[in-house]
Amino acid sequence: MFAAAAARAPLKALRRQGRLGHQVLRGISSFKPMMGQIKDFLLADIGEGIAEVEVLEWSVKPGAKVEEFDELLKVQSDKAATEITSPYEGTVVELMVEVGDMAKVGKPLCRIEVEGEAEAEASADASPTDAGETTAKGTDSATESAPSSSVDTDFKSGKVLTSPAVRRLAKEKNVDLMMIAGSGPKGRILKEDVLKFLSGAAPAQTASPTPPTKATPKATSTPTSAPGSTQATIARPSMPARSAEDQEVPVRGLDRIMVQTMQAAHTVPTLLYSDEFSVNSLVRTRTQCKPHAESLGVKLTYLPFIIKSASMALLEYPKLNSHVNEDCTSFVMKGAHNIGVAVQTPAGLIVPNVKNVQDKSIIEIAADLGDLQALGQAGKLTKDQLTGGTFTISNIGTIGGTVCKPLIVVPEVAIAALGKFQAVPRFDNNDNIYKDTIMNVSLSADHRIIDGATVASFSNLWKQYLEHPETMMIHCK
């Protein structure tokens, strides 16, 4: 016994001095250091078929001290942007990937030296959990499993935000984490929260965060000439400096995702169909309903009417609300109408979707659109809001243009593009000329499973609902 203790003493001394390397520890089958162990921090398997993410930004540098739940980096998948946080306390030793790199699932993001009790909790976190965090096992039995990255709510939609150790504690105590309000950063549930809940002193429920509002820009005064001056100063617009040199721009972030989406779209033989919709009655209806929506705190645009009428037409032609498999041997007609709409964000154009439109009123759709736009501007859209779409509407007309060929968002089978509202002269049945307001609607459909007659019939019904909004009231559920 004394001999064994004597053999371990030099090892402990070397470890405290930082001279015992990670490779040496692998050869000691029964030794678990109590401080200073260097761990490879792996990118977790985040599901949805995602195999890699792009590193957008590191929030730490080598040598930085981090605590549990501190943000380490921001990443972008083909679904959403999110933060990756640390599950324990320690010191960042090395960054294994750089900004702009594509990090692979199961590969190291960084190396962290874990100390004291934080390391012990990290060891408890090493087993896979039902929350989706996974870890990579070492090749030697003496090596503890490297913990995988802790991914924020964008990748864990529908799951409570906490660490694997807290989940295990809750499971052992038979506690439903959904019943506990977290006191940690971003509402994370900490170990203390579970213990308080068990003792009957559960933390108070916190209110759901409200979508951020845009700040009103401050008015700026225009400088004027001094009194008595003989010559006024003319403000000339500054022109952007032009570079005579070529610039190579790497494809990053949402641009990289657009490349993948468009490559998939071009594998689909596409049918294009276009028609004019008269929107005079829609303009009047929206004008009448707008004050009531404002009294409810909802901004009512034309888009909620367009989305709802499209959903009602999809009820009659459900084939256009389908997902097709990769080799087009089968397709699934989706029961939910999750209609995607483009939202401009600081990072670029993204397409979240309004869920279950078939069950919602126009005012509910308008409220959902407002939430999606606010969250998009703040960069806080979740994976759930960005995935699962069944039919897409591109409102390109708000920028300009009349007719275009929208590209299908695979595995969806149809997409519509809305042109701008424009006043045009038209003739009535008695050849009298009158002013009409029209909107061009362009439809693209997967011609492998959808024929032109089906697309035309769908478009005609959609047109009928929008040109006569009162008919929507009769059929609306």
Side-chain angles (χ1 to χ4, degrees):
M1 181 176 68
F2 292 105
R8 286 195 295 268
L11 293 174
K12 292 183 178 179
L14 288 173
R15 190 55 188 165
R16 293 191 185 98
Q17 298 172 16
R19 291 162 53 192
L20 186 58
H22 185 63
Q23 297 300 323
V24 175
L25 290 176
R26 289 189 173 187
I28 305 173
S29 59
S30 61
F31 176 70
K32 292 186 178 180
M34 294 305 295
M35 60 182 299
Q37 185 176 9
I38 295 177
K39 308 286 287 185
D40 284 343
F41 190 48
L42 310 181
L43 176 62
D45 181 2
I46 50 187
E48 296 289 333
I50 297 173
E52 61 183 9
V53 296
E54 180 182 354
V55 179
L56 297 180
E57 177 186 357
W58 277 101
S59 304
V60 296
K61 296 179 180 180
K65 297 284 187 180
V66 292
E67 296 182 358
E68 187 178 13
F69 305 135
D70 278 358
E71 179 183 318
L72 295 177
L73 71 160
K74 292 184 175 69
V75 298
Q76 173 80 54
S77 76
D78 60 349
K79 306 296 183 184
T82 192
E83 302 167 356
I84 293 180
T85 59
S86 176
Y88 42 61
E89 297 179 7
T91 303
V92 178
V93 176
E94 181 182 3
L95 306 183
M96 310 295 285
V97 289
E98 299 180 358
V99 173
D101 287 351
M102 298 302 294
K104 307 290 185 181
V105 169
K107 298 297 183 181
L109 294 171
C110 63
R111 306 185 77 195
I112 299 178
E113 184 176 10
V114 183
E115 299 181 357
E117 295 179 359
E119 179 199 337
E121 181 170 341
S123 301
D125 291 355
S127 60
T129 69
D130 58 353
E133 288 105 348
T134 60
T135 59
K137 296 182 178 179
T139 55
D140 192 292
S141 61
T143 305
E144 295 185 34
S145 298
S148 59
S149 54
S150 173
V151 184
D152 210 342
T153 51
D154 285 349
F155 282 156
K156 298 295 175 189
S157 296
K159 299 288 186 181
V160 293
L161 199 59
T162 188
S163 69
V166 175
R167 292 185 189 277
R168 192 174 74 167
L169 174 62
K171 187 175 181 181
E172 291 173 352
K173 301 297 183 180
N174 196 26
V175 172
D176 183 0
L177 290 174
M178 297 295 290
M179 303 297 295
I180 302 176
S183 62
K186 298 184 180 180
R188 288 180 183 271
I189 298 176
L190 307 179
K191 181 180 179 181
E192 291 77 8
D193 298 329
V194 178
L195 297 177
K196 287 180 181 179
F197 183 84
L198 291 170
S199 66
Q205 292 285 345
T206 56
S208 299
T210 56
T213 57
K214 296 182 181 178
T216 304
K218 296 181 179 180
T220 56
S221 58
T222 304
T224 57
S225 301
S229 61
T230 58
Q231 184 176 2
T233 301
I234 301 175
R236 300 182 182 275
S238 59
M239 299 297 291
R242 295 185 178 182
S243 174
E245 299 180 356
D246 296 339
Q247 294 183 345
E248 182 177 355
V249 181
V251 179
R252 292 285 186 265
L254 293 176
D255 289 340
R256 189 197 298 267
I257 297 172
M258 184 163 59
V259 170
Q260 298 169 351
T261 304
M262 293 303 99
Q263 287 174 340
H266 276 287
T267 65
V268 178
T270 304
L271 166 71
L272 177 63
Y273 180 90
S274 183
D275 198 2
E276 289 182 358
F277 289 20
S278 175
V279 292
N280 284 337
S281 296
L282 175 61
V283 172
R284 288 193 296 268
T285 301
R286 182 249 184 180
T287 301
Q288 293 170 353
C289 297
K290 186 177 178 182
H292 178 67
E294 290 176 348
S295 70
L296 299 175
V298 177
K299 181 180 179 181
L300 184 63
T301 64
Y302 296 108
L303 192 55
F305 293 92
I306 295 170
I307 291 174
K308 183 60 181 180
S309 56
S311 173
M312 294 174 66
L314 287 172
L315 289 173
E316 298 296 325
Y317 298 95
K319 201 172 184 180
L320 278 77
N321 192 62
S322 299
H323 279 188
V324 66
N325 67 353
E326 189 173 352
D327 57 0
C328 200
T329 56
S330 67
F331 62 92
V332 178
M333 291 191 292
K334 296 291 187 175
H337 295 178
N338 299 336
I339 297 184
V341 290
V343 172
Q344 186 65 47
T345 72
L349 198 67
I350 56 178
V351 187
N353 57 81
V354 181
K355 303 292 186 185
N356 298 306
V357 172
Q358 78 283 355
D359 296 328
K360 292 183 177 177
S361 66
I362 290 172
I363 198 71
E364 289 173 327
I365 296 169
D368 284 355
L369 285 172
D371 291 345
L372 292 176
Q373 290 167 353
L375 292 170
Q377 288 294 321
K380 295 183 178 180
L381 286 167
T382 66
K383 181 189 69 173
D384 180 64
Q385 291 165 323
L386 290 165
T387 57
T390 59
F391 184 87
T392 300
I393 295 177
S394 172
N395 194 14
I396 190 67
T398 57
I399 300 174
T402 54
V403 178
C404 73
K405 180 185 177 182
L407 298 179
I408 297 170
V409 182
V410 179
E412 297 174 26
V413 299
I415 182 174
L418 310 177
K420 64 182 180 181
F421 282 20
Q422 53 183 333
V424 296
R426 288 290 184 264
F427 291 96
D428 61 18
N429 294 333
N430 297 319
D431 290 337
N432 297 315
I433 196 168
Y434 69 97
K435 176 184 175 182
D436 194 10
T437 303
I438 66 165
M439 172 183 68
N440 290 92
V441 176
S442 304
L443 282 159
S444 292
D446 188 335
H447 211 357
R448 295 175 298 178
I449 63 172
I450 299 175
D451 56 42
T454 302
V455 175
S457 299
F458 166 79
S459 177
N460 289 340
L461 182 56
W462 190 9
K463 178 178 180 178
Q464 177 184 330
Y465 284 137
L466 280 182
E467 291 188 343
H468 306 281
E470 64 276 6
T471 61
M472 293 176 60
M473 309 303 175
I474 298 174
H475 299 284
C476 188
K477 295 181 180 180

